[in-house]
Amino acid sequence: MRPGELNGAAPAAPRTVLPGATIGVLGGGQLGRMMALAGSAMGYRFVALDPAPDAPCGQVTPQIQAAYNDRDAARELARRADVITYEFENVDAGVAALLTEESYVPQGSELLYTTQHRLREKAAIEAAGVPVAPYRKIGSLAELKQAAAELGLPCVLKTATGGYDGKGQAVIRSVSQLEEVYAQLVPQAPAQQTGGSEAAAAGSIPELVLEKFIAFQCEISVIAARSASGEVKSFPPAENIHVNNILHLSIVPARVQEDIQRRACELAEQLVTQMNAVGLLAVEMFVTAEGELFVNELAPRPHNSGHYTMDACATSQFEQQVRAICNLPLGDTTLLTPAVMVNVLGQHLEAAVQLLSTNQADSRLGVIPKLHIYGKTESTTGRKMGHINLLCKDTGDALSWVEEQTNLWRN
């Protein structure tokens, strides 16, 4: 399916949607919840569509409980909303097309189509003149072996669709791992398969992409916003630290040179403009020891690494999303205070809540913790249940606060 088959055109002609109107959200998770809380303070009403009973967004706004591919439910969302946005990118293509036909969806669905598939995403990034790590399309074990020889090891094999928090990908460090990793990502295909990409095209195996491993000094991300009328602004870059492939910390200001921070913002703004995006675009990047920047992934929505903006910036990423899709002037993105965002996973939740009711390190270290809990009904290991924004004069103090709680964040 091509972009034009999803929405027939680029994002809809801009119109201004003023407070008092209803914003429909496709998805009822924590991102929708925080968007609704920010937008409600501005005077907007919300309605969410999500299959889960008592979804996080549904706790603070009306919810249509139905599957994402339920077209009758999508029509109900369109009927009740003046403008529609989404809080995650894996939106059913048929529902996206229906919504763009029956309601005002300023983001369109072309950007969704692009970012749902890593190969399309990388091609779009390159077309915008922004660097990505060298990569190859993989359709068979034979192609994997050839591509690994061309790109060199180590390299990273990923599924072209799906996958998050490290799922759907694996690092290959030696030739002996090629067959094992291939079978891991394509379990239904025999490891000895040597045919060409015709098998992938026929649907017998998923499309894969092999990326050259970038020896990065750190990872950063920039949240850029573009309004329906084309105004563009970006938030200060966050330095991101992952544990077990899940974001653990976001540090702002990022601990990289100011010229690298400026360049990162320029690249993010270049992408959000060239891709004709409306709303937020999260741009994840690798920073090398030489100061080079390579874009790793995009997310056309609010992003975990932008949660620090809720307490540390003049405008939060969630308010900015509302402003962008409603075609209001974009808010000031000035960083008001250094901050460190630390994720609270299922195994941390109870201790994190108790910690903030008794901890004495806050005043001693000059740190102000702001707890945000998402309202998910089931707390499981590795699941994002909330986050804490640590406001501080120096990010070193906030990192010391986290380090002191090693019993909480060690696992």
Side-chain angles (χ1 to χ4, degrees):
M1 185 175 290
R2 299 185 302 275
E5 294 173 327
L6 285 178
N7 62 349
R15 67 180 78 160
T16 299
V17 181
L18 295 175
T22 298
I23 298 174
V25 184
L26 195 55
Q30 69 261 27
L31 300 179
R33 176 192 181 101
M34 290 182 278
M35 190 192 313
L37 290 171
S40 296
M42 300 169 67
Y44 289 96
R45 297 176 180 269
F46 284 79
V47 58
L49 190 157
D50 194 280
D54 197 32
C57 189
Q59 295 170 15
V60 299
T61 193
Q63 177 186 343
I64 301 168
Q65 186 183 339
Y68 292 127
N69 61 358
D70 186 327
R71 300 200 174 198
D72 290 336
R75 289 189 177 94
E76 175 68 8
L77 182 69
R79 186 187 67 80
R80 294 171 61 175
D82 299 293
V83 58
I84 291 177
T85 185
Y86 45 81
E87 64 129 28
F88 72 114
E89 55 264 50
N90 293 318
V91 177
D92 179 84
V95 167
L98 183 153
L99 290 173
T100 55
E101 291 169 1
E102 300 196 10
S103 185
Y104 176 49
V105 186
Q107 293 162 281
S109 53
E110 187 168 348
L111 185 60
L112 281 175
Y113 172 84
T114 299
T115 56
Q116 283 174 347
H117 194 282
R118 286 189 170 97
L119 288 165
R120 291 196 294 263
E121 180 177 277
K122 289 179 182 298
I125 295 170
E126 290 178 309
V130 175
V132 297
Y135 67 96
R136 298 287 189 276
K137 178 181 177 181
I138 303 299
S140 69
L141 178 59
E143 290 183 2
L144 173 60
K145 290 178 177 180
Q146 180 179 346
E150 292 171 355
L151 296 178
L153 299 177
C155 52
V156 186
L157 186 65
K158 300 179 179 180
T159 55
T161 59
Y164 63 95
D165 288 345
K167 298 177 177 64
Q169 60 182 271
V171 178
I172 301 172
R173 301 187 183 278
S174 66
V175 172
S176 64
Q177 291 181 281
L178 290 171
E179 292 191 13
E180 176 188 351
V181 169
Y182 182 81
Q184 175 185 329
L185 294 188
V186 192
Q188 72 275 27
Q192 65 268 24
Q193 178 184 346
T194 57
S197 58
E198 293 81 5
S204 60
I205 68 169
E207 283 188 286
L208 304 171
V209 56
L210 185 72
E211 300 175 6
K212 182 179 178 64
F213 185 87
I214 299 297
F216 57 88
Q217 187 177 48
C218 67
E219 297 178 65
I220 64 173
S221 59
V222 175
I223 313 296
R226 181 175 178 271
S227 72
S229 60
E231 183 186 8
V232 174
K233 286 187 178 180
S234 59
F235 288 93
E239 177 186 350
N240 300 318
I241 296 175
H242 294 78
V243 174
N244 297 325
N245 294 311
I246 300 174
L247 182 63
H248 173 44
L249 299 170
S250 290
I251 303 164
V252 189
R255 296 173 298 182
V256 297
Q257 295 176 353
E258 288 188 9
D259 63 323
I260 295 176
Q261 295 187 44
R262 285 194 298 270
R263 177 63 176 155
C265 289
E266 290 169 359
L267 291 178
E269 292 176 12
Q270 185 173 330
L271 281 169
V272 78
T273 300
Q274 293 293 322
M275 299 179 80
N276 201 31
V278 174
L280 300 183
L281 183 67
V283 184
E284 299 179 38
M285 309 179 201
F286 296 130
V287 183
T288 70
E290 295 75 29
E292 294 179 291
L293 290 169
F294 293 92
V295 171
N296 180 33
E297 289 184 345
L298 305 178
R301 53 167 172 77
H303 194 258
N304 195 175
S305 67
H307 289 351
Y308 78 90
T309 64
M310 298 173 71
D311 299 298
C313 288
T315 304
S316 75
Q317 65 167 341
F318 299 102
E319 179 184 339
Q320 198 77 302
Q321 171 77 355
V322 171
R323 286 177 169 274
I325 63 170
C326 292
N327 204 31
L328 301 181
L330 295 182
D332 188 338
T333 58
T334 300
L335 184 69
L336 302 178
T337 175
V340 171
M341 188 282 300
V342 57
N343 267 329
V344 174
L345 306 182
Q347 63 268 34
H348 310 143
L349 181 59
E350 183 177 353
V353 172
Q354 291 297 321
L355 173 69
L356 290 196
S357 68
T358 60
N359 188 263
Q360 299 298 313
D362 308 351
S363 57
R364 176 170 53 80
L365 292 170
V367 172
I368 303 173
K370 298 286 188 177
L371 176 65
H372 299 267
I373 298 297
Y374 302 152
K376 295 180 179 179
T377 55
E378 185 179 1
S379 178
T380 56
T381 298
R383 191 181 192 196
K384 295 171 183 173
M385 303 301 295
H387 68 272
I388 301 173
N389 284 334
L390 300 163
L391 310 183
C392 51
K393 293 181 180 179
D394 187 288
T395 55
D397 296 329
L399 292 172
S400 295
W401 187 95
V402 175
E403 183 63 26
E404 287 193 13
Q405 320 306 328
T406 52
N407 288 335
L408 174 57
W409 278 290
R410 180 174 292 158
N411 50 25

